[in-house]
Amino acid sequence: MSRTVTRLRDGWKFTRTDNPAHPNPDFDDSAWTSVRVPHDWAIAGPFDREHDRMTQARKQADVEAGVQEITGRTGGLPHVGVGWYRLRFNVPAEAAGKQFRLEVDGSMSNCTVYCNGTHVGGWPCGYTSFALDLTSVVQLGRENVLAVRLENLPESSRWYPGAGLYRNVRLVVLHPVHVAHWGTYLTTPTLTDKEGTVSLETTIRNAGPETAVTLRTAIHDRNGTMVCMEETTRSLSGVETIRQDFIVPDPQRWDPEAPNLYTAVSTVRVAGETVDRYETPFGFRSLDFDPDKGFFINGRSLKLKGVCMHHDLGPLGAAVNVAALRRQLHMLQDMGCNAIRTSHNPPTPELLDLCDRMGLLVIDEAFDEWALPKMTNGYNLLFQDWAEKDLRAMIKRDRNHPCLILWSIGNEIPEQNSPQGADVAQFLCDICKDEDPTRLTTAGFNQADGAIRNGLAAAVDVPGWNYKANCYVEFHTLFPDKPTYGSETESTYSSRGEYFFPANEEIGPFRVPHHVSSYDNEFPNWGYSPDVEFRAQDECPFSLGAFVWTGFDYLGEPTPFSEAWPSRSSYFGIIDLAGLPKDRYFLYQSTWSQTPVLHLLPHWTWPGREGETTPVHCYTNFSSAELFVNGVSQGRRRKSVKMVTGAYRLVWPGVRYQPGELKVVAYDRDGAVAAETVIRTAGEAAAVELLPDRQAMAADGDGMIFITAQIVDKDGNPCPRADHGLSVEIEGPGTLEGLCNGDPTSLESFKGSRMRAFNGKCVLYLGSVDGRPGDIRVTVSADGLRSGQISLESR
């Protein structure tokens, strides 16, 4: 019998109480809460500034010395403390002689696992995937009990880390002879149009007596057709590695434009019987990081147009959902993004699977902290004993993914300013090369002088520079043999649909209410506008590209309102926490993609501003456009390379607001009308309109439909300032998994059935029920408005 893999999703019990009797199989957990894993115990709230209030010394030179009180740094959610999970599962007597392995993709944090009352292991870092052998403690033909204790320490994270068994957990049943955990390592040493070579190292574990083992590996193309095969027989005991080499004719390359995947299917046989089967997806592609010409994939020059991504999924918290991940990546690709930096820790493995299939490149990042602390109880407590284990685990898990292009050993590490920093960096780089000599190493440096002086920048293959757009030429001169790129850039922040006048570029504005302007010209003292980075990349052909901070808003780090409340999530995202594009999305799309873009801002509903100057910006990839207010031309503007802002956006600074119609007309290079966009002043709010991203989802308990509830007037015009309270009702086999309006100051629970609209919108996360197909009817109502209703399908 081949391996069986059971996802341990349903049937878990959970409590926040802490009791040494919890591992006992006979313990009565009937009063505990029933939950499904992945599970984030803190995401339902409530929000409270006391959950993560802390103080720290002021570091900015331009403010009064002393201490500052930080609130909302980790989202104001109750993630600190202990949580217990218990699961009862049965193993049939027929499984005698098998091996049993528990696989945990991520557990936040300080995980300790018991099976049938016996401690079987654990792992302290919440981002690391690991496996535990349960063979000696599993009871055949009887009920078994897993018990998992987790504890998040206070002041251990700079953002919302999540809480609980927030990634997938599996039970794997194996023959004593089997492919080991993460037991394949596949490389493609040579690649031409006519043939690609494959070198595959397969680690076999034999938990029984020495025996003859046959490893048969077949390479299948994307259509499932076998293209080559190799068979090796060897007498094995313990753990041994078998190397096999293949030649694949006419290889179809993996490329962002055509992410062709192959699969190596490893079959293990003993005495003629198939005892294990293991699949390793992979791709043929070549990578070249040229210090003078930039990044090349398969010989094709490609500028990295990347974003940094934290791991939470907005109203779902840290709990992994593939449908929500896929939605995020599709939105980023539609914007023109082609690369992700997993800031600042190893991602869930499903992210890499999706990037493989969708053609997104990935920088896999291991650490935000080494031995010198950023947080009192941060990773510095683990670094000495666990850094090597965590780094090797990340690389062994992820190294077969063709989407991966670089290993990042750290982000903005305090050791940049330490004379010992280079030795630590070299130690980590050596581990990367030992586990995977095919890829280069990188790190994100924000203290350039220290990283250069103390040798950290020299230790990595590809130094990454955080917020140094004006220094790329200098770094290229200092390191002529090393590639250059922006590992973290911009940090422009904005609140979706919020506009403040005058629309001037501003550093770190503090205002009440706690919002920043969607004119996309406000940023902290280390940041700058997107236009600055666009210009730097255009003027530096040697640069590999850049990674924007950030693709999506995330929970925690509510800069510039770190000392304010309420403010519980970031403003940095190009897309807000609900998954709604901000204006800035269209600025990137107009610069990064080939999609025709003609986007106007701000909205045109400003009662009380009649006659006042209301600047209008246009994000477009057309070369010129003309603006009209109620049919009266405000002049034609043309992109100009002479000005940083004028090269990437068109601006009419002196427009005076009049209710009615704001229209922009774009012209092609011959002067003909190419496109137009119209915004109309909204009347009184009249109805709720529901806009689903799809009509059907899988009835597997993981499927999800994302529905935007939008408030409109009687003519269907969006009401851009509406803030009505919305109530959600669902009939049929669907569940409301989350509500989010994208407002960083909202303290309403993501897990309720009511939420106010923020600037006219709110998003419903509709989940399916496993094994229950059927029609679902969703109704969203608000006092005084016509309700929105929609019929969807789970199948």
Side-chain angles (χ1 to χ4, degrees):
M1 180 186 75
S2 295
R3 67 178 57 202
T4 61
V5 180
T6 302
R7 182 177 161 201
L8 303 180
R9 183 182 67 174
D10 301 303
W12 290 89
K13 305 288 282 186
F14 171 73
T15 185
R16 290 298 309 274
T17 64
D18 193 15
N19 187 326
H22 288 167
N24 188 334
D26 298 325
F27 180 85
D28 182 6
D29 59 17
S30 59
W32 292 16
T33 304
S34 296
V35 299
R36 186 176 68 180
V37 169
H39 176 248
D40 182 338
W41 82 53
I43 193 60
F47 292 100
D48 193 317
R49 68 187 305 175
E50 299 301 325
H51 286 148
D52 57 7
R53 186 197 294 265
M54 62 187 77
T55 59
Q56 68 177 27
R58 294 186 187 273
K59 297 180 180 179
Q60 296 88 345
D62 57 344
V63 297
E64 184 179 349
V67 297
Q68 57 182 342
E69 185 176 84
I70 303 294
T71 60
R73 185 170 197 173
T74 54
L77 288 165
H79 72 280
V80 173
V82 173
W84 278 89
Y85 293 82
R86 283 169 56 96
L87 177 71
R88 302 175 188 275
F89 65 99
N90 292 303
V91 177
E94 293 77 13
K98 301 298 182 184
Q99 299 284 298
F100 300 89
R101 185 169 72 213
L102 184 72
E103 297 180 352
V104 181
D105 287 341
S107 53
M108 194 61 69
S109 57
N110 293 295
C111 181
T112 307
V113 181
Y114 303 84
C115 185
N116 297 325
T118 299
H119 174 244
V120 292
W123 206 281
C125 179
Y127 297 98
T128 301
S129 299
F130 64 94
L132 300 174
D133 188 354
L134 304 184
T135 305
S136 64
V137 294
V138 163
Q139 299 176 355
L140 303 177
R142 296 178 54 188
E143 182 180 77
N144 294 266
V145 178
L146 273 178
V148 181
R149 184 185 189 273
L150 299 167
E151 182 175 9
N152 281 346
L153 300 177
E155 298 192 33
S156 60
S157 180
R158 296 194 297 124
W159 53 83
Y160 177 67
L165 290 173
Y166 74 108
R167 292 178 181 171
N168 280 303
V169 179
R170 293 172 297 276
L171 178 66
V172 184
V173 181
L174 300 149
H175 187 276
V177 181
H178 56 269
V179 177
H181 187 231
W182 302 328
T184 58
Y185 176 41
L186 188 150
T187 59
T188 54
T190 60
L191 176 62
T192 68
D193 291 338
K194 292 185 178 181
E195 65 179 35
T197 61
V198 176
S199 178
L200 177 62
E201 296 178 358
T202 304
T203 300
I204 306 293
R205 180 174 181 264
N206 180 5
E210 183 172 348
T211 187
V213 176
T214 298
L215 174 64
R216 181 183 187 271
T217 304
I219 306 294
H220 297 258
D221 66 15
R222 61 181 179 179
N223 299 315
T225 302
M226 187 177 72
V227 295
C228 59
M229 186 269 288
E230 181 74 24
E231 189 171 288
T232 304
T233 300
R234 187 176 299 175
S235 182
L236 296 180
S237 63
V239 178
E240 295 191 33
T241 298
I242 296 173
R243 174 171 171 165
Q244 296 173 316
D245 296 297
F246 308 83
I247 296 178
V248 175
D250 304 318
Q252 300 299 302
R253 298 173 191 249
W254 187 96
D255 190 276
E257 294 183 354
N260 295 301
L261 287 172
Y262 287 75
T263 305
V265 180
S266 304
T267 302
V268 179
R269 289 185 294 166
V270 175
E273 176 191 359
T274 297
V275 298
D276 196 18
R277 186 178 185 275
Y278 187 82
E279 295 187 358
T280 306
F282 72 98
F284 289 98
R285 87 286 186 271
S286 63
L287 306 177
D288 185 19
F289 298 83
D290 190 290
D292 296 317
K293 299 178 181 179
F295 176 68
F296 290 78
I297 183 166
N298 299 322
R300 175 174 64 90
S301 175
L302 182 69
K303 185 75 83 169
L304 297 176
K305 301 170 182 176
V307 299
C308 300
M309 291 285 284
H310 270 307
H311 71 302
D312 77 67
L313 292 169
L316 302 181
V320 170
N321 177 273
V322 172
L325 279 171
R326 186 184 296 110
R327 174 195 183 221
Q328 286 191 336
L329 297 180
H330 274 304
M331 293 183 71
L332 292 171
Q333 278 192 314
D334 288 345
M335 185 181 74
C337 172
N338 61 19
I340 304 292
R341 176 182 176 226
T342 68
S343 312
H344 299 294
N345 298 97
T348 185
E350 290 85 357
L351 177 74
L352 300 176
D353 293 337
L354 286 169
C355 289
D356 278 347
R357 295 196 294 270
M358 296 172 66
L360 282 157
L361 304 167
V362 177
I363 295 178
D364 211 350
E365 191 155 84
F367 304 114
D368 185 56
E369 197 176 286
W370 294 348
L372 297 181
K374 293 181 181 180
M375 301 295 298
T376 301
N377 293 318
Y379 193 79
N380 66 90
L381 300 181
L382 303 176
F383 186 81
Q384 181 174 352
D385 295 329
W386 285 91
E388 180 170 354
K389 299 172 188 176
D390 284 322
L391 184 55
R392 289 189 186 276
M394 181 185 84
I395 296 172
K396 286 179 179 178
R397 187 195 72 174
D398 296 346
R399 59 190 176 183
N400 293 319
H401 287 278
C403 65
L404 272 171
I405 59 173
L406 290 167
W407 301 116
S408 175
I409 61 170
N411 169 70
E412 299 184 353
I413 299 299
E415 279 86 347
Q416 292 170 98
N417 292 314
S418 167
Q420 289 76 43
D423 291 338
V424 181
Q426 192 62 58
F427 163 71
L428 297 173
C429 287
D430 288 345
I431 293 171
C432 294
K433 298 299 184 183
D434 183 53
E435 295 290 352
D436 177 29
T438 72
R439 288 182 180 87
L440 302 182
T441 59
T442 187
F445 300 120
N446 66 326
Q447 301 292 328
D449 291 344
I452 294 169
R453 179 181 62 253
N454 292 308
L456 280 82
V460 298
D461 300 310
V462 185
W465 306 106
N466 291 7
Y467 308 105
K468 303 297 180 185
N470 296 322
C471 301
Y472 294 150
V473 173
E474 175 188 349
F475 297 146
H476 182 52
T477 303
L478 285 171
F479 297 100
D481 297 326
K482 288 183 179 289
T484 296
Y485 77 110
S487 43
E488 191 171 311
T489 63
E490 283 108 294
S491 271
T492 301
Y493 35 49
S494 59
S495 303
R496 176 183 53 79
E498 294 285 329
Y499 306 92
F500 296 96
F501 307 101
N504 296 330
E505 187 172 283
E506 194 167 353
I507 295 176
F510 186 93
R511 57 173 70 92
V512 178
H514 303 142
H515 286 298
V516 283
S517 179
S518 202
Y519 275 109
D520 302 323
N521 55 6
E522 296 182 352
F523 38 83
N525 57 8
W526 65 82
Y528 43 85
S529 71
D531 315 68
V532 172
E533 188 67 39
F534 292 153
R535 172 60 62 88
Q537 293 299 326
D538 286 346
E539 292 181 346
C540 298
F542 55 83
S543 173
L544 309 177
F547 290 79
V548 179
W549 190 262
T550 53
F552 279 72
D553 276 341
Y554 55 94
L555 288 161
E557 289 194 323
T559 309
F561 304 110
S562 299
E563 297 177 70
W565 187 262
S567 188
R568 47 74 170 153
S569 53
S570 84
Y571 300 75
F572 293 117
I574 299 169
I575 302 166
D576 76 12
L577 199 71
L580 295 170
K582 302 180 186 179
D583 289 296
R584 200 165 3 127
Y585 180 93
F586 302 97
L587 178 59
Y588 284 97
Q589 189 180 52
S590 68
T591 306
W592 281 0
S593 81
Q594 300 301 311
T595 301
V597 177
L598 189 63
H599 177 79
L600 277 177
L601 62 140
H603 61 75
W604 211 239
T605 302
W606 295 102
R609 284 192 60 82
E610 289 79 5
E612 293 191 36
T613 299
T614 307
V616 175
H617 291 202
C618 177
Y619 298 157
T620 183
N621 42 20
F622 293 101
S623 59
S624 67
E626 186 173 7
L627 185 71
F628 297 86
V629 176
N630 295 330
V632 178
S633 175
Q634 307 296 303
R636 185 183 294 194
R637 298 286 187 270
R638 180 176 296 276
K639 295 282 187 73
S640 172
V641 297
K642 295 181 180 179
M643 298 176 60
V644 172
T645 299
Y648 305 101
R649 65 176 93 188
L650 303 178
V651 178
W652 289 264
V655 177
R656 296 188 180 276
Y657 172 67
Q658 301 173 23
E661 179 183 273
L662 185 71
K663 180 171 74 172
V664 65
V665 176
Y667 301 93
D668 63 21
R669 296 183 182 277
D670 297 325
V673 174
E676 68 175 46
T677 292
V678 176
I679 301 176
R680 294 182 176 87
T681 302
E684 293 293 323
V688 179
E689 179 182 38
L690 300 184
L691 305 170
D693 73 326
R694 65 194 64 232
Q695 293 298 315
M697 61 180 165
D700 59 2
D702 296 317
M704 200 165 280
I705 297 175
F706 305 91
I707 307 167
T708 300
Q710 177 173 260
I711 297 174
V712 297
D713 67 11
K714 63 181 179 61
D715 298 318
N717 296 309
C719 297
R721 297 293 291 171
D723 62 353
H724 297 68
L726 304 175
S727 297
V728 181
E729 294 182 11
I730 298 173
E731 301 172 70
T735 61
L736 185 60
E737 295 295 325
L739 273 176
C740 189
N741 58 16
D743 179 2
T745 70
S746 173
L747 302 183
E748 296 173 279
S749 174
F750 297 130
K751 296 299 184 179
S753 60
R754 290 183 55 85
M755 184 169 285
R756 301 192 72 83
F758 175 59
N759 290 333
K761 295 181 179 181
C762 185
V763 177
L764 291 63
Y765 286 53
L766 179 69
S768 66
V769 178
D770 192 10
R772 287 186 56 196
D775 294 330
I776 304 170
R777 189 167 186 81
V778 179
T779 303
V780 180
S781 57
D783 290 345
L785 305 183
R786 185 173 69 253
S787 297
Q789 291 187 336
I790 192 169
S791 293
L792 302 166
E793 184 181 3
S794 182
R795 61 191 182 197

